[in-house]
Structure formats: structure tokens, C-alpha cells
Amino acid sequence: MRFGKTLRNSIYPPWSGNYIDYHRLKALLREHDVTGDGSDSETTPWTEQDEEAFVEELINVQLDKVNAFQMETLQQLRERTSACETRLRPLTTTADDETPAIVNGEEKKTVASGVLEELDSITREVTELEKYSRINFTGFLKAAKKHDRKRGTRYRVKPLLQVRLSQLPFNSEDYSPLVRRLSVMYSFAREILSQGVVEIKDPAESRFGQGAYSSFKFWVHADNVLEVKTYILRQLPVLIYNPGTSKDLTTVPDDPTITSLYFDNPQFDLYTQKVARAPEAGSLRLRWTGNLQDKPAIFLEKKVVTDDDRSREVKVQLKQKHVKEFLDGEYRFDKKVHRMENMGNGESEHAESFKKDVEELQSFIKEHNLQPMLRANYTRMAFQIPGDDRIRISLDTNLALIREDSLEELRPCREANEWHRGDIDDANMEYPFSRIRTGEIARFPHALLEIKLRGSTAHNAEWIKDLMVSHLVKEAPRFSKFVHGVAQLFEDYVNSFPFWLGELESDIRRDPETAFHEEQERLAKRAEEEMAVGSFLGGKSPAARPLVGSPVHKFTDVESSSRGRQSPQVAHAQPSQRPSAPEVAPRPERDEPIQEVEEGEQAEQPVTLKRLAALFPSFPLSRANRADEAALPPGVREPGTWIKDSGPVRVETKVWLANQRTFIKWLHISILLSSLSLGLYNAAGKDNDVARALSIVYTCFAIFAAAWGWYMHEKRARLIRQRSGRDLDNTFGPIVVCIGLAVALVLNFAFKYNSTVERIRERDSLANPPTLNSTGFANQAHPWQLVNQGGQAL
């Protein structure tokens, strides 16, 4: 797609007059000239005045316009954010009497509700402003590249543009501080609105710290990072690592930088086991937050994946001065264990457990001859409701994978007697680590999103499902920083590689409409497969239990069927009646049957229909019964007008072309049948009545094929224009043609066989004339034979 069209599709309508005027720049550049040096008589030579006009428009007019609008809009967003903080401040406790300035609960909720609406508007415009900066920055580079390619023999404008861009912050603005301020206010406003609301949940579901997690990993393109952040913070607050400053809405700490130091041996056994998904595969890492010079807490963590695809973790906390001694097996926490044993109050049991963890870690290091091999450095933004860990989301950006080994004796990356690279930690190097030698670092091009869910409420959250299937993310199951880093930096040392390496260079961005249609097709196919499986289980569909095999969705079969066919349609419900999580309501009992059936038929008919629907998913009978499978939840009614029908009719070109292509196929069949019938009729003689009759039959089928194709083409075109939810397929026509041709061919074979048998009999009778029997009559002779032989016999 040309950039001009991309720019037009990316324009945010309220800001349409403030984008780069790419068309004017192309006009000043005279893009359609054959040459620019006057060698072509039909073109005007490119002069100094033309160059000055183009540079003036690009550097001074368009760039200043875009930068001024970006700065002005950002300032307005900051002022609106400050205004929201001012409106929320009376709801907080004052410094003197620790009493809120506004005590009335209804008034507080009214203020919080109004602030939430304003925060939604600010968040949306922050996302659009980031897109605005990115598309305009690309436009300036495209225009400069086009100029240098066409007029670059004497004039080059790209170096001048790059110097000018470096002086303007419109494309390098960091929106993270503003996003964190919005997140704090989102969390505070939601807390105000939730006061007095009793949450209904499963009594067996723990709220904090218990139960296993389901983890889902995704890649996020750099262009979509801010949009993903703003989408999540509307539902979850940003988890602040330093809560000491959380009371001040204007000062929020930066996202922490996390370093993970992964261990392996020179043969990379741990890596090989992890790639091969071997049972009881383990990994070991050191992890800390921030710079080592600040003496942070360092954790040594061993993680083992069990046979049932769950993980078990062993972790101890170390001080920086004890790390080397612990890795060498010389430090065993003797003082800490002795102190725990002397404390009593159940601490002796904890001491034994702690001693086992220490012994397990040290024996694991010694047994596998482990040493630091790889460093992963990244910036993490975490989202979680305080005190509720059912939904935990982390977004890692600026991921750099750095070699930490000492495999090469002549040129080691790390000193053999050290446990980390001093050149990085002593100098407090930060991303992008420009001083690291080429070949020792790999910068991951995307952000990493990990969603951890625990409990049915978290798995059924609609906004989580929408995010996981949206165009903003690309699913990356089983992605590992350790595996990816070893595969890229130690490719000469290993012989197996992860499956996602082939997708690393491809563009993971997707069009929203394309992503939506792909998800609809996936859900529809999955629903049909599960219905077929359910029919063979004697009517017991696997929908009775959540689908845990899918890496994206976890909902029942009936839900997946309804979502697969009606996801663009939103059922209208009052906010107070909308359920907190989508659940399938039980189908109401009917007091009276719709029609009377016999006793034996009543038991057989449902099973027969289910098996027909499973064996022939495209048959109209199965599709007609599928619409009534999902009942709406309590309080939700069928909408009068679907959202998909509210706007103008927009049909993709491939839909029209598919309908026309099907019609052309039917015409092809009609022409083949008519040609066959015409040839058969001409080849048949006057006495070959069978061939002439079959030619007429084939002609009828040819006419039917043409008429059926035209009828279905018009019917489907009408349904597409009406945006009908009915199925576009129909198996009647193909079945008629196939069965009719099969019957005609069988009859043709039968008639031909009978005719051949008759001819054989006549030939045999002429070759073997009949003889007279004892009575003087011929054996099975024809009448003319009796006449010819009568005189001689008498």
C-alpha cells in the first residue's frame, strides 16, 4: 500500500487539518517528471527556486505545524489530567483531620463517574496522539527519501531533516508518566464507585494467593504498546513497586528495570530440555530490580515444569556479597537456619524446609555444572488490583538479551571468577547498551505481554478475551526469554531452535477487521468440531466443562458457538442487570410440547438430528437448529437492531468475488454437460434410442445447473446487501446434479449391457443352427428355419 493511502486511513477526524500535507509535498517535488536535470524536453528543469520551495515547505512549514500541534495537544491533555486530579482531591482524606472534604456517598460517586468519563476521553486521545506522532514522523522520512531518490544528484535533504527532527520532541515524547497518572486516578475512581457494592463470586474461589494460574503470552508491536497500556489501565491499575509515593497523584515512580541472569552448562543441557519440553525440565536464574550498585535484593530461582504442565518453584534471597559463595557451595545460610531453629513457634519446620531448598539449589548447580550464560534486561509495567491477584498482567519492553558466558578463553564475555559482567553493572549501562560488542547482544523487536488468570471469574472476563483476540497482540505460546536468547546468541553451540524464530522478522501488525474475521472463522470451526465430538458421546457434549486446551479462550461450547456467530452483535441490557461474567443460562423448561409425537419417535428423533448435524455440519437442518442452542443470560434481551446493521453497508471485495466465482463454476458445469449432451446426440444413430434419450437428460441437467447457479448468485447477493445473518450455503443443487448424473450413468450402463447381451445371443444362434429331435421338430428353432427344413424332414 502506498504511503498516501496509509496516511489517509490513519487520520483521526477531529485532527484532520493538522497532519502533514503529503500531497502538497509531492506536488512541489514534481514526482511525475521523468527526470529533474532538464535532459527530457517535456519536463521543466529542477532549479534552486524549486529546491528552496520544497525545503521551506518540508522543514519550516509542515514540520513546525505538526510539532506545534503535538505539543499543544499534549499540554492540553496534561491540563485535563490535572483538572481530573483536582476534582478527585476533595474525595481523599485531608492532611489535618483525615476526613474527606466530600462525605456524601452519592455525591462522591457522581464526581467519580464524571471523572471516569473524562479519563476515558483523555486515554483515547493519548493513544491517538501517539499514532499521530508516529504517522507524521514516517511521512517526513518518506518525503525526504522520495526527494533524495529523485533529486539526489545535486541536492540531499534527509541529513538536514534528521538534524531538525532531533531538535523537536514530537516523535520522542514519552507518554508513560502521563499513563501512570491516569492509572492512579482510574484505580481511585473505581474504588469510590465500588464502595457499597457486594461482589458475588464463587465461595470456593480464593481471592488472593491460592490456586494455579493459567498463563498466556503475546508479542506486541512497538506501534501498539501505548494502545495496549491504555486499554488495560481502564480495567486494572498499574502496580506501583514503591508505594511510598502513591499518595501523591502527580509523582509516580518510573517502571522498574529487571535483570535476569540465566544459568546453563557449556553443553546447554537445560536449554535443550526446555526446547524439547522434556519432563521435569528445569531452569535457574538470578533476578534483581534496578542497578546492582544500589544493592537490591537478589533472588535465586529454580523452576521445574512437571508432567502435568504445571510448574514448581524453589527460591531463596541472597545478598550481593554472598552470591558467589552460594554458587560455589560455600555459603549455606547457617546463621539464618540456626536463628530460625531457636525461635520456636513453628519456625523449626520452616527451617527444615529452608534447608531443603538450599540443598536442592546447590546440588542442582553442582550436578549440572551450571554457570551464568545469558542476561535478560527489560523494563516491566505490571497491572493488578491491590489485594486481588486473580488477574495479573505484565508488559515487558526494551528487552535486551546479552551474552554472560566465559566459553571463549581468549575473549570471554564475563570473567571466569565472577558471577556477572562487571563492565555492564559497574558502569550502570542502560538500554540500548550501545557499548556492548556486536554479536554479544540481541535486542528483541517487540514488547512481551503476559496475562495470568486464576479462577473462573478471571477466565470469563470479556475484556480479557477481547484483548487476547484483538489485532493489538500476537499469540506467542511457550515463549521464553532464556530460550530465545540462547537460540540467537549461541546458535553455533546448539542444534535445536524454538518454533517462533521463523516469525521474528515478519510484521505482526494486523488490520482490525481482518483480525476480527479470522477469529470468527476460528470460533465457528471450533464450534462445529466440538458439536461433532459431542454427538459421538451419546449427546453429552464436551461443553459441560471449560475448554482448557485453547491458548486463547476458556468458555463452554455453547458460548463459543454463540460468540462465533454473534460476536459483532451486542445484546442490550441494563447496567445493573448485566452479569459480572458471561455464563450460559439454563434452558427454560417447556410446559407443553410444541407438537405431539409418538412414544418411540420421541426418543429417537433428537439423537438422529444431532448425529445428522454432526456428520453434515453444512446441511441446512443442522444450521437451522444451531441458532437456538445458546440462551441469553438473565436480564439480557434480544436487540432490535444489531450493531453490524447500524452503519453503511461495507462489503469486502473478496465476498462479492467469491459469489461471482461460484456462479462462474456453475456455468462451467452447465457448459460441460451441454457439450456432452450435444456430442452424444450427434454421435447416436437413428436406431440408438438410449443414447438420444440420455443426451436429452444431460441437457436437462445442464439447464438446471445454469438456472440454479443464477438463482443462488442473486439470492446470496441479496443476503449480502441486507447484511443477513442467514447461511449462504445450500446443498440442494449440488446433491440434485450429483445424484441425477449418477443415476443417468447407471442407467446408461444397464441399457448398454442389455443391448450387448442381446447381440451376443443373436450371433450365437446364427453360428449354431438348430437340429431335429426325435419328434421331427427343431430344437429351439425360429419359424423360418422350420419352413426351410420341413420338406427334407418329411
Side-chain angles (χ1 to χ4, degrees), residues 317-344:
Q317 181 176 345
L318 296 167
K319 293 183 179 180
Q320 184 175 344
K321 61 182 180 179
H322 296 313
V323 173
K324 177 63 176 174
E325 297 177 1
F326 186 88
L327 297 178
D328 294 338
E330 300 173 358
Y331 181 75
R332 305 180 63 87
F333 292 94
D334 294 332
K335 293 182 179 180
K336 182 176 181 180
V337 172
H338 182 69
R339 185 169 58 252
M340 294 174 64
E341 291 176 344
N342 293 335
M343 288 180 63

Side-chain angles (χ1 to χ4, degrees), residues 18-237:
N18 297 282
Y19 285 77
I20 180 177
D21 195 344
Y22 195 69
H23 179 72
R24 175 170 174 78
L25 291 174
K26 290 172 61 177
L28 289 175
L29 186 58
R30 302 209 304 263
E31 182 186 14
H32 300 292
D33 287 357
V34 179
T35 61
D37 54 3
S39 60
D40 196 320
S41 58
E42 296 181 359
T43 60
T44 304
W46 185 259
T47 64
E48 294 285 348
Q49 290 76 15
D50 297 330
E51 179 70 15
E52 183 179 353
F54 178 82
V55 173
E56 175 70 19
E57 183 69 24
L58 177 69
I59 302 297
N60 295 333
V61 178
Q62 297 297 328
L63 187 55
D64 287 346
K65 177 184 73 173
V66 170
N67 181 70
F69 179 78
Q70 192 271 345
M71 297 300 295
E72 179 183 358
T73 306
L74 181 59
Q75 183 61 29
Q76 291 177 359
L77 292 175
R78 288 172 175 167
E79 292 176 355
R80 292 169 60 186
T81 303
S82 300
C84 291
E85 294 171 351
T86 303
R87 294 174 60 184
L88 288 177
R89 201 168 297 280
L91 308 183
T92 63
T93 57
T94 61
D96 298 332
D97 54 3
E98 296 295 330
T99 303
I102 299 179
V103 183
N104 190 332
E106 293 298 327
E107 186 177 355
K108 292 173 65 175
K109 291 185 177 181
T110 302
V111 174
S113 178
V115 170
L116 271 182
E117 295 180 1
E118 177 66 9
L119 290 177
D120 287 339
S121 176
I122 296 174
T123 303
R124 182 173 59 254
E125 292 197 9
V126 168
T127 304
E128 294 296 337
L129 185 60
E130 194 267 344
K131 295 180 181 178
Y132 169 88
S133 302
R134 185 172 62 248
I135 194 66
N136 282 283
F137 180 79
T138 305
F140 286 118
L141 294 182
K142 289 279 187 181
K145 181 179 178 181
K146 191 180 292 291
H147 170 275
D148 292 353
R149 185 175 62 248
K150 191 171 183 61
R151 313 295 181 186
T153 54
R154 294 181 56 188
Y155 309 99
R156 294 187 62 84
V157 74
K158 190 174 181 179
L160 178 61
L161 176 66
Q162 290 177 335
V163 173
R164 189 78 173 91
L165 287 173
S166 64
Q167 300 172 351
L168 301 177
F170 85 94
N171 187 60
S172 59
E173 187 71 39
D174 185 13
Y175 299 95
S176 297
L178 182 58
V179 169
R180 286 191 290 269
R181 291 175 62 187
L182 294 172
S183 173
V184 173
M185 287 187 289
Y186 262 116
S187 178
F188 183 74
R190 281 194 295 264
E191 183 180 352
I192 294 297
L193 292 176
S194 63
Q195 290 180 357
V197 178
V198 179
E199 181 182 2
I200 301 176
K201 65 171 185 174
D202 187 359
E205 181 178 333
S206 172
R207 184 170 180 84
F208 190 87
Q210 296 181 4
Y213 280 98
S214 297
S215 178
F216 307 88
K217 297 181 179 180
F218 304 89
W219 292 352
V220 182
H221 194 275
D223 294 348
N224 298 329
V225 169
L226 182 61
E227 190 168 356
V228 170
K229 288 182 180 179
T230 54
Y231 180 86
I232 298 174
L233 67 83
R234 296 179 186 180
Q235 306 293 335
L236 295 177

